[in-house]
Amino acid sequence: DADVTQTPRNRITKTGKRIMLECSQTKGHDRMYWYRQDPGLGLQLIYYSFDVKDINKGEISDGYSVSRQAQAKFSLSLESAIPNQTALYFCATVGLAGEAKNIQYFGAGTRLSVL
Amino acid sequence: GDSVTQMEGPVTLSEEAFLTINCTYTATGYPSLFWYVQYPGEGLQLLLKATKADDKGSNKGFEATYRKETTSFHLEKGSVQVSDSAVYFCALAGGTSYGKLTFGQGTILTVHP
């Protein structure tokens, strides 16, 4: 099983719909991240969480919200989806100690299309 | 703030050719530097890393040396294979990032037989 699991892998939705992307991890890491990937722009940070009670906005948080339900679960919501939110979304966790320090572990991604 | 700049792509090579993908960074303090690779349809995975100046990271025939004097971390491989076709991302952590990664824009590599 993957260490970082994202669901769904693909989603097509309509403008104005609410949608939730889910992420769960078995790494035991406290820190979790949501990124958006657009062609030619690399990865942009949407939100990050250092623990269950510590959630922070990233570079492009407008139009998104998150929920850290437990150490292992970090969900991303689009309250009212719009077409320019069509992108590939990645969840990641990060190790803090030893050889894993600052290494981010990524899920396989969710491809979202907003029509 | 912190930033990472990668060479423009895409890069197209023949099998067994030499590969260089340039990466330069701007950061305060002493960041850690990384190369991640993304194969088609997959998430990013760590390729190699270096945590201090003059460190050389290496993995799967790829190498990169942390050059503080030129603020660079160029990725090299002496003989690429078709299976190396992927998107490569340079990234940094630390400096003012507080554990977050700052990514370059990615470089698409295509290797032909």
Side-chain angles (χ1 to χ4, degrees):
Chain A
D1 289 341
D3 293 323
V4 183
T5 303
Q6 291 184 236
T7 55
R9 291 294 313 278
N10 294 280
R11 180 73 183 266
I12 300 173
T13 192
K14 295 182 178 180
T15 297
K17 293 291 187 181
R18 183 179 188 276
I19 183 170
M20 178 182 287
L21 309 182
E22 299 188 345
C23 177
S24 62
Q25 54 111 349
T26 59
K27 302 290 288 183
H29 293 160
D30 287 325
R31 297 189 177 190
M32 298 185 72
Y33 301 78
W34 274 105
Y35 292 94
R36 167 180 171 154
Q37 184 180 24
D38 296 281
L41 292 180
L43 274 75
Q44 296 174 277
L45 183 63
I46 306 173
Y47 270 94
Y48 60 102
S49 171
F50 285 172
D51 64 39
V52 174
K53 296 181 180 180
D54 185 355
I55 294 176
N56 305 277
K57 293 181 177 181
E59 305 157 341
I60 57 163
S61 59
D62 287 349
Y64 301 94
S65 63
V66 291
S67 173
R68 186 79 185 269
Q69 301 95 326
Q71 185 203 41
K73 296 184 181 296
F74 191 37
S75 301
L76 176 71
S77 293
L78 287 68
E79 297 300 325
S80 179
I82 57 177
N84 76 2
Q85 292 178 311
T86 293
L88 189 55
Y89 291 85
F90 287 105
C91 175
T93 72
V94 66
L96 293 181
E99 284 298 307
K101 185 176 180 181
N102 286 332
I103 294 174
Q104 293 209 358
Y105 298 86
F106 285 82
T110 296
R111 186 170 296 280
L112 176 65
S113 296
V114 183
L115 305 179
Chain B
D2 298 342
S3 67
V4 176
T5 302
Q6 288 181 234
M7 66 183 287
E8 293 288 332
V11 175
T12 302
L13 296 173
S14 298
E15 206 165 25
E16 299 184 1
F18 183 85
L19 169 70
T20 299
I21 301 178
N22 290 338
C23 171
T24 57
Y25 68 90
T26 301
T28 57
Y30 302 94
S32 295
L33 301 175
F34 306 84
W35 277 100
Y36 281 81
V37 59
Q38 183 182 24
Y39 298 105
E42 299 182 11
L44 282 71
Q45 55 186 274
L46 180 69
L47 180 60
L48 54 84
K49 68 171 184 175
T51 57
K52 61 183 186 296
D54 299 325
D55 268 2
K56 177 185 285 188
S58 61
N59 186 26
K60 300 181 181 180
F62 291 89
E63 295 182 338
T65 301
Y66 189 163
R67 301 288 189 196
K68 189 168 178 63
E69 64 276 13
T70 55
T71 61
S72 65
F73 193 54
H74 304 321
L75 182 68
E76 296 182 337
K77 186 174 186 181
S79 178
V80 294
Q81 305 300 312
V82 173
S83 58
D84 293 326
S85 297
V87 184
Y88 292 82
F89 292 92
C90 185
L92 70 81
T96 60
S97 300
Y98 302 103
K100 295 179 283 139
L101 280 182
T102 300
F103 286 90
Q105 72 270 35
T107 301
I108 299 172
L109 171 66
T110 303
V111 180
H112 293 297

Short mmCIF file of all heavy atoms in Angstrom, two decimals, chain A residues 32-81:
data_model
loop_
_atom_site.label_atom_id
_atom_site.label_comp_id
_atom_site.label_asym_id
_atom_site.label_seq_id
_atom_site.Cartn_x
_atom_site.Cartn_y
_atom_site.Cartn_z
N MET A 32 1.74 18.02 6.86
CA MET A 32 1.10 17.63 5.61
C MET A 32 0.85 18.87 4.76
O MET A 32 0.68 19.97 5.29
CB MET A 32 -0.21 16.88 5.86
CG MET A 32 -0.01 15.58 6.63
SD MET A 32 -1.50 14.60 6.81
CE MET A 32 -1.73 13.97 5.13
N TYR A 33 0.83 18.68 3.44
CA TYR A 33 0.78 19.79 2.49
C TYR A 33 -0.19 19.46 1.35
O TYR A 33 -0.32 18.29 0.96
CB TYR A 33 2.17 20.02 1.87
CG TYR A 33 3.25 20.32 2.89
CD1 TYR A 33 3.83 19.31 3.63
CD2 TYR A 33 3.69 21.62 3.09
CE1 TYR A 33 4.81 19.58 4.57
CE2 TYR A 33 4.68 21.90 4.01
CZ TYR A 33 5.23 20.88 4.75
OH TYR A 33 6.20 21.16 5.67
N TRP A 34 -0.79 20.51 0.80
CA TRP A 34 -1.55 20.39 -0.45
C TRP A 34 -0.92 21.33 -1.48
O TRP A 34 -0.72 22.51 -1.21
CB TRP A 34 -3.01 20.76 -0.26
CG TRP A 34 -3.86 19.63 0.19
CD1 TRP A 34 -4.36 19.42 1.44
CD2 TRP A 34 -4.32 18.54 -0.61
NE1 TRP A 34 -5.10 18.27 1.48
CE2 TRP A 34 -5.09 17.70 0.22
CE3 TRP A 34 -4.18 18.18 -1.95
CZ2 TRP A 34 -5.71 16.54 -0.24
CZ3 TRP A 34 -4.78 17.03 -2.41
CH2 TRP A 34 -5.54 16.23 -1.55
N TYR A 35 -0.62 20.75 -2.67
CA TYR A 35 -0.06 21.51 -3.78
C TYR A 35 -0.99 21.41 -4.99
O TYR A 35 -1.72 20.44 -5.17
CB TYR A 35 1.29 20.92 -4.21
CG TYR A 35 2.41 21.07 -3.23
CD1 TYR A 35 2.70 20.06 -2.32
CD2 TYR A 35 3.22 22.21 -3.23
CE1 TYR A 35 3.77 20.17 -1.44
CE2 TYR A 35 4.28 22.33 -2.34
CZ TYR A 35 4.54 21.31 -1.46
OH TYR A 35 5.59 21.43 -0.58
N ARG A 36 -0.83 22.40 -5.83
CA ARG A 36 -1.50 22.38 -7.13
C ARG A 36 -0.41 22.43 -8.21
O ARG A 36 0.55 23.20 -8.09
CB ARG A 36 -2.41 23.59 -7.22
CG ARG A 36 -2.93 23.89 -8.59
CD ARG A 36 -3.81 25.10 -8.59
NE ARG A 36 -4.12 25.47 -9.96
CZ ARG A 36 -5.20 26.13 -10.33
NH1 ARG A 36 -6.08 26.53 -9.43
NH2 ARG A 36 -5.39 26.42 -11.60
N GLN A 37 -0.57 21.61 -9.26
CA GLN A 37 0.38 21.61 -10.36
C GLN A 37 -0.31 22.00 -11.64
O GLN A 37 -1.29 21.36 -12.05
CB GLN A 37 1.03 20.22 -10.52
CG GLN A 37 2.10 20.20 -11.60
CD GLN A 37 2.72 18.83 -11.75
OE1 GLN A 37 2.14 17.81 -11.42
NE2 GLN A 37 3.95 18.80 -12.26
N ASP A 38 0.20 23.05 -12.27
CA ASP A 38 -0.26 23.47 -13.59
C ASP A 38 0.91 23.36 -14.56
O ASP A 38 2.06 23.58 -14.16
CB ASP A 38 -0.76 24.91 -13.55
CG ASP A 38 -1.97 25.08 -12.66
OD1 ASP A 38 -3.07 24.75 -13.13
OD2 ASP A 38 -1.82 25.52 -11.51
N PRO A 39 0.66 23.04 -15.81
CA PRO A 39 1.75 22.89 -16.77
C PRO A 39 2.63 24.13 -16.83
O PRO A 39 2.14 25.25 -16.96
CB PRO A 39 1.02 22.67 -18.11
CG PRO A 39 -0.31 22.10 -17.71
CD PRO A 39 -0.66 22.77 -16.41
N GLY A 40 3.94 23.94 -16.74
CA GLY A 40 4.89 25.04 -16.85
C GLY A 40 5.02 25.90 -15.61
O GLY A 40 5.84 26.82 -15.59
N LEU A 41 4.26 25.60 -14.56
CA LEU A 41 4.32 26.43 -13.36
C LEU A 41 4.85 25.66 -12.16
O LEU A 41 4.90 26.20 -11.07
CB LEU A 41 2.93 26.97 -13.02
CG LEU A 41 2.35 27.98 -13.99
CD1 LEU A 41 0.98 28.43 -13.53
CD2 LEU A 41 3.28 29.19 -14.14
N GLY A 42 5.23 24.44 -12.32
CA GLY A 42 5.71 23.69 -11.18
C GLY A 42 4.61 23.45 -10.18
O GLY A 42 3.43 23.37 -10.53
N LEU A 43 4.97 23.35 -8.91
CA LEU A 43 4.00 23.12 -7.85
C LEU A 43 3.83 24.39 -7.02
O LEU A 43 4.81 25.02 -6.63
CB LEU A 43 4.47 21.99 -6.94
CG LEU A 43 4.11 20.58 -7.39
CD1 LEU A 43 4.98 20.15 -8.54
CD2 LEU A 43 4.22 19.60 -6.23
N GLN A 44 2.59 24.71 -6.72
CA GLN A 44 2.29 25.86 -5.89
C GLN A 44 1.60 25.37 -4.62
O GLN A 44 0.69 24.55 -4.68
CB GLN A 44 1.39 26.84 -6.64
CG GLN A 44 2.04 27.43 -7.88
CD GLN A 44 1.05 28.28 -8.66
OE1 GLN A 44 0.26 27.76 -9.45
NE2 GLN A 44 1.08 29.58 -8.44
N LEU A 45 2.01 25.91 -3.49
CA LEU A 45 1.50 25.47 -2.20
C LEU A 45 0.15 26.12 -1.91
O LEU A 45 0.03 27.35 -1.94
CB LEU A 45 2.51 25.82 -1.11
CG LEU A 45 2.20 25.37 0.31
CD1 LEU A 45 2.14 23.85 0.38
CD2 LEU A 45 3.26 25.91 1.26
N ILE A 46 -0.84 25.30 -1.58
CA ILE A 46 -2.18 25.80 -1.29
C ILE A 46 -2.36 26.01 0.21
O ILE A 46 -2.70 27.10 0.66
CB ILE A 46 -3.27 24.84 -1.81
CG1 ILE A 46 -3.06 24.54 -3.30
CG2 ILE A 46 -4.65 25.44 -1.60
CD1 ILE A 46 -4.00 23.45 -3.83
N TYR A 47 -2.18 24.94 0.98
CA TYR A 47 -2.27 24.97 2.44
C TYR A 47 -1.26 23.99 3.00
O TYR A 47 -0.89 23.02 2.34
CB TYR A 47 -3.66 24.56 2.92
CG TYR A 47 -4.66 25.65 3.09
CD1 TYR A 47 -5.54 25.97 2.05
CD2 TYR A 47 -4.76 26.37 4.27
CE1 TYR A 47 -6.48 26.98 2.19
CE2 TYR A 47 -5.71 27.39 4.43
CZ TYR A 47 -6.56 27.68 3.38
OH TYR A 47 -7.49 28.68 3.52
N TYR A 48 -0.86 24.22 4.25
CA TYR A 48 -0.04 23.25 4.94
C TYR A 48 -0.41 23.21 6.41
O TYR A 48 -0.95 24.18 6.95
CB TYR A 48 1.45 23.53 4.75
CG TYR A 48 1.96 24.87 5.24
CD1 TYR A 48 2.65 24.97 6.44
CD2 TYR A 48 1.78 26.02 4.48
CE1 TYR A 48 3.13 26.19 6.88
CE2 TYR A 48 2.25 27.24 4.91
CZ TYR A 48 2.94 27.33 6.11
OH TYR A 48 3.42 28.53 6.54
N SER A 49 -0.10 22.07 7.02
CA SER A 49 -0.49 21.84 8.41
C SER A 49 0.69 21.22 9.14
O SER A 49 1.23 20.20 8.71
CB SER A 49 -1.70 20.90 8.46
OG SER A 49 -1.97 20.50 9.78
N PHE A 50 1.08 21.83 10.27
CA PHE A 50 2.20 21.30 11.05
C PHE A 50 1.74 20.30 12.09
O PHE A 50 2.53 19.51 12.59
CB PHE A 50 2.97 22.44 11.70
CG PHE A 50 3.84 23.22 10.75
CD1 PHE A 50 4.47 24.38 11.16
CD2 PHE A 50 4.04 22.79 9.45
CE1 PHE A 50 5.28 25.09 10.29
CE2 PHE A 50 4.85 23.49 8.57
CZ PHE A 50 5.48 24.65 9.00
N ASP A 51 0.47 20.38 12.48
CA ASP A 51 -0.17 19.34 13.28
C ASP A 51 -1.67 19.58 13.23
O ASP A 51 -2.13 20.49 12.54
CB ASP A 51 0.37 19.27 14.71
CG ASP A 51 0.09 20.51 15.53
OD1 ASP A 51 -1.02 21.09 15.41
OD2 ASP A 51 0.97 20.92 16.30
N VAL A 52 -2.43 18.81 13.97
CA VAL A 52 -3.89 18.85 13.86
C VAL A 52 -4.44 20.25 14.15
O VAL A 52 -5.43 20.68 13.58
CB VAL A 52 -4.52 17.80 14.79
CG1 VAL A 52 -6.03 17.93 14.79
CG2 VAL A 52 -4.14 16.41 14.35
N LYS A 53 -3.78 21.00 15.03
CA LYS A 53 -4.31 22.30 15.43
C LYS A 53 -3.58 23.47 14.77
O LYS A 53 -3.82 24.64 15.12
CB LYS A 53 -4.22 22.44 16.95
CG LYS A 53 -5.08 21.45 17.71
CD LYS A 53 -4.97 21.65 19.21
CE LYS A 53 -5.84 20.64 19.95
NZ LYS A 53 -5.75 20.83 21.44
N ASP A 54 -2.71 23.19 13.82
CA ASP A 54 -1.89 24.23 13.20
C ASP A 54 -2.02 24.13 11.69
O ASP A 54 -1.40 23.28 11.06
CB ASP A 54 -0.44 24.06 13.63
CG ASP A 54 0.44 25.19 13.12
OD1 ASP A 54 -0.05 26.05 12.36
OD2 ASP A 54 1.63 25.21 13.49
N ILE A 55 -2.85 25.03 11.12
CA ILE A 55 -3.10 25.04 9.68
C ILE A 55 -2.75 26.42 9.15
O ILE A 55 -3.11 27.43 9.75
CB ILE A 55 -4.56 24.68 9.37
CG1 ILE A 55 -4.82 23.23 9.77
CG2 ILE A 55 -4.87 24.90 7.89
CD1 ILE A 55 -6.25 22.79 9.59
N ASN A 56 -2.07 26.44 8.01
CA ASN A 56 -1.55 27.69 7.46
C ASN A 56 -1.85 27.81 5.97
O ASN A 56 -1.83 26.82 5.25
CB ASN A 56 -0.03 27.75 7.66
CG ASN A 56 0.37 27.56 9.10
OD1 ASN A 56 0.36 28.50 9.88
ND2 ASN A 56 0.70 26.33 9.47
N LYS A 57 -2.07 29.06 5.55
CA LYS A 57 -2.28 29.30 4.13
C LYS A 57 -0.96 29.28 3.38
O LYS A 57 0.06 29.74 3.89
CB LYS A 57 -2.96 30.66 3.91
CG LYS A 57 -4.38 30.73 4.45
CD LYS A 57 -4.98 32.09 4.17
CE LYS A 57 -6.44 32.14 4.65
NZ LYS A 57 -7.07 33.46 4.39
N GLY A 58 -1.01 28.78 2.16
CA GLY A 58 0.15 28.82 1.29
C GLY A 58 0.05 29.97 0.32
O GLY A 58 -0.62 30.97 0.57
N GLU A 59 0.69 29.80 -0.84
CA GLU A 59 0.77 30.88 -1.83
C GLU A 59 -0.55 31.18 -2.52
O GLU A 59 -0.83 32.31 -2.92
CB GLU A 59 1.79 30.51 -2.90
CG GLU A 59 3.16 30.17 -2.36
CD GLU A 59 3.95 29.31 -3.34
OE1 GLU A 59 3.33 28.68 -4.23
OE2 GLU A 59 5.17 29.25 -3.20
N ILE A 60 -1.39 30.15 -2.69
CA ILE A 60 -2.60 30.29 -3.51
C ILE A 60 -3.82 29.72 -2.81
O ILE A 60 -4.55 28.91 -3.37
CB ILE A 60 -2.40 29.63 -4.89
CG1 ILE A 60 -2.02 28.14 -4.73
CG2 ILE A 60 -1.34 30.34 -5.71
CD1 ILE A 60 -2.21 27.34 -6.00
N SER A 61 -4.13 30.16 -1.60
CA SER A 61 -5.20 29.57 -0.80
C SER A 61 -6.60 30.06 -1.17
O SER A 61 -7.59 29.42 -0.79
CB SER A 61 -4.93 29.83 0.68
OG SER A 61 -4.86 31.22 0.92
N ASP A 62 -6.71 31.17 -1.88
CA ASP A 62 -8.04 31.70 -2.20
C ASP A 62 -8.86 30.69 -2.98
O ASP A 62 -8.41 30.12 -3.97
CB ASP A 62 -7.90 32.99 -3.02
CG ASP A 62 -7.42 34.16 -2.19
OD1 ASP A 62 -7.40 34.03 -0.95
OD2 ASP A 62 -7.07 35.20 -2.78
N GLY A 63 -10.11 30.47 -2.53
CA GLY A 63 -11.00 29.53 -3.20
C GLY A 63 -10.90 28.12 -2.68
O GLY A 63 -11.63 27.23 -3.13
N TYR A 64 -10.00 27.89 -1.73
CA TYR A 64 -9.77 26.56 -1.13
C TYR A 64 -9.92 26.63 0.38
O TYR A 64 -9.71 27.68 0.99
CB TYR A 64 -8.38 26.05 -1.46
CG TYR A 64 -8.06 25.92 -2.93
CD1 TYR A 64 -7.41 26.96 -3.61
CD2 TYR A 64 -8.39 24.78 -3.63
CE1 TYR A 64 -7.11 26.85 -4.96
CE2 TYR A 64 -8.08 24.65 -4.98
CZ TYR A 64 -7.44 25.70 -5.63
OH TYR A 64 -7.14 25.58 -6.97
N SER A 65 -10.26 25.51 0.98
CA SER A 65 -10.22 25.36 2.43
C SER A 65 -9.73 23.96 2.74
O SER A 65 -9.72 23.09 1.87
CB SER A 65 -11.60 25.60 3.07
OG SER A 65 -12.52 24.63 2.61
N VAL A 66 -9.28 23.75 3.98
CA VAL A 66 -8.75 22.44 4.36
C VAL A 66 -9.29 22.05 5.72
O VAL A 66 -9.77 22.88 6.50
CB VAL A 66 -7.21 22.42 4.41
CG1 VAL A 66 -6.62 22.53 3.01
CG2 VAL A 66 -6.68 23.49 5.34
N SER A 67 -9.17 20.75 6.00
CA SER A 67 -9.54 20.20 7.29
C SER A 67 -8.54 19.13 7.66
O SER A 67 -8.26 18.24 6.86
CB SER A 67 -10.95 19.60 7.22
OG SER A 67 -11.27 18.93 8.43
N ARG A 68 -7.99 19.23 8.88
CA ARG A 68 -7.06 18.19 9.35
C ARG A 68 -7.81 17.39 10.41
O ARG A 68 -7.86 17.73 11.59
CB ARG A 68 -5.81 18.85 9.95
CG ARG A 68 -4.72 17.88 10.35
CD ARG A 68 -3.92 17.41 9.17
NE ARG A 68 -2.95 16.40 9.53
CZ ARG A 68 -1.70 16.65 9.88
NH1 ARG A 68 -1.26 17.90 9.95
NH2 ARG A 68 -0.88 15.65 10.17
N GLN A 69 -8.39 16.30 9.94
CA GLN A 69 -9.28 15.53 10.82
C GLN A 69 -8.53 14.71 11.86
O GLN A 69 -9.07 14.37 12.91
CB GLN A 69 -10.16 14.59 9.98
CG GLN A 69 -11.03 15.29 8.95
CD GLN A 69 -10.38 15.35 7.57
OE1 GLN A 69 -9.16 15.47 7.46
NE2 GLN A 69 -11.20 15.29 6.53
N ALA A 70 -7.31 14.37 11.53
CA ALA A 70 -6.46 13.55 12.40
C ALA A 70 -5.04 13.70 11.89
O ALA A 70 -4.82 14.28 10.82
CB ALA A 70 -6.90 12.09 12.37
N GLN A 71 -4.08 13.16 12.63
CA GLN A 71 -2.70 13.25 12.16
C GLN A 71 -2.57 12.67 10.76
O GLN A 71 -1.82 13.18 9.93
CB GLN A 71 -1.76 12.52 13.12
CG GLN A 71 -0.29 12.70 12.73
CD GLN A 71 0.61 11.60 13.27
OE1 GLN A 71 0.24 10.44 13.26
NE2 GLN A 71 1.78 11.99 13.73
N ALA A 72 -3.33 11.62 10.49
CA ALA A 72 -3.16 10.90 9.24
C ALA A 72 -4.01 11.43 8.09
O ALA A 72 -3.86 10.97 6.96
CB ALA A 72 -3.47 9.42 9.45
N LYS A 73 -4.91 12.37 8.33
CA LYS A 73 -5.88 12.77 7.31
C LYS A 73 -5.91 14.29 7.14
O LYS A 73 -6.04 15.04 8.11
CB LYS A 73 -7.26 12.26 7.67
CG LYS A 73 -7.38 10.75 7.68
CD LYS A 73 -8.80 10.31 7.95
CE LYS A 73 -8.91 8.80 8.00
NZ LYS A 73 -8.58 8.18 6.70
N PHE A 74 -5.85 14.70 5.86
CA PHE A 74 -5.81 16.13 5.54
C PHE A 74 -6.60 16.32 4.25
O PHE A 74 -6.18 15.84 3.19
CB PHE A 74 -4.36 16.57 5.36
CG PHE A 74 -4.13 18.05 5.28
CD1 PHE A 74 -4.86 18.95 6.03
CD2 PHE A 74 -3.11 18.55 4.47
CE1 PHE A 74 -4.61 20.31 5.97
CE2 PHE A 74 -2.84 19.90 4.40
CZ PHE A 74 -3.59 20.78 5.16
N SER A 75 -7.76 16.99 4.33
CA SER A 75 -8.65 17.11 3.19
C SER A 75 -8.63 18.52 2.62
O SER A 75 -8.52 19.50 3.37
CB SER A 75 -10.09 16.76 3.59
OG SER A 75 -10.16 15.45 4.08
N LEU A 76 -8.78 18.61 1.32
CA LEU A 76 -8.83 19.89 0.62
C LEU A 76 -10.22 20.05 0.01
O LEU A 76 -10.71 19.13 -0.65
CB LEU A 76 -7.78 19.92 -0.49
CG LEU A 76 -7.77 21.16 -1.40
CD1 LEU A 76 -7.25 22.37 -0.64
CD2 LEU A 76 -6.91 20.90 -2.64
N SER A 77 -10.84 21.21 0.22
CA SER A 77 -12.17 21.46 -0.33
C SER A 77 -12.17 22.67 -1.25
O SER A 77 -11.49 23.66 -0.98
CB SER A 77 -13.19 21.69 0.79
OG SER A 77 -13.39 20.52 1.54
N LEU A 78 -12.94 22.54 -2.31
CA LEU A 78 -13.25 23.67 -3.17
C LEU A 78 -14.71 23.97 -2.92
O LEU A 78 -15.59 23.17 -3.25
CB LEU A 78 -13.02 23.32 -4.64
CG LEU A 78 -11.59 23.19 -5.14
CD1 LEU A 78 -10.88 22.00 -4.54
CD2 LEU A 78 -11.57 23.12 -6.66
N GLU A 79 -14.99 25.10 -2.28
CA GLU A 79 -16.37 25.39 -1.86
C GLU A 79 -17.30 25.62 -3.04
O GLU A 79 -18.45 25.22 -3.03
CB GLU A 79 -16.38 26.59 -0.93
CG GLU A 79 -15.61 26.37 0.37
CD GLU A 79 -16.16 25.21 1.19
OE1 GLU A 79 -17.39 25.00 1.17
OE2 GLU A 79 -15.36 24.52 1.84
N SER A 80 -16.78 26.27 -4.06
CA SER A 80 -17.57 26.56 -5.26
C SER A 80 -16.59 26.51 -6.44
O SER A 80 -15.96 27.52 -6.75
CB SER A 80 -18.26 27.91 -5.16
OG SER A 80 -19.00 28.19 -6.33
N ALA A 81 -16.48 25.36 -7.05
CA ALA A 81 -15.44 25.14 -8.06
C ALA A 81 -15.62 26.05 -9.27
O ALA A 81 -16.75 26.34 -9.70
CB ALA A 81 -15.46 23.68 -8.50
#
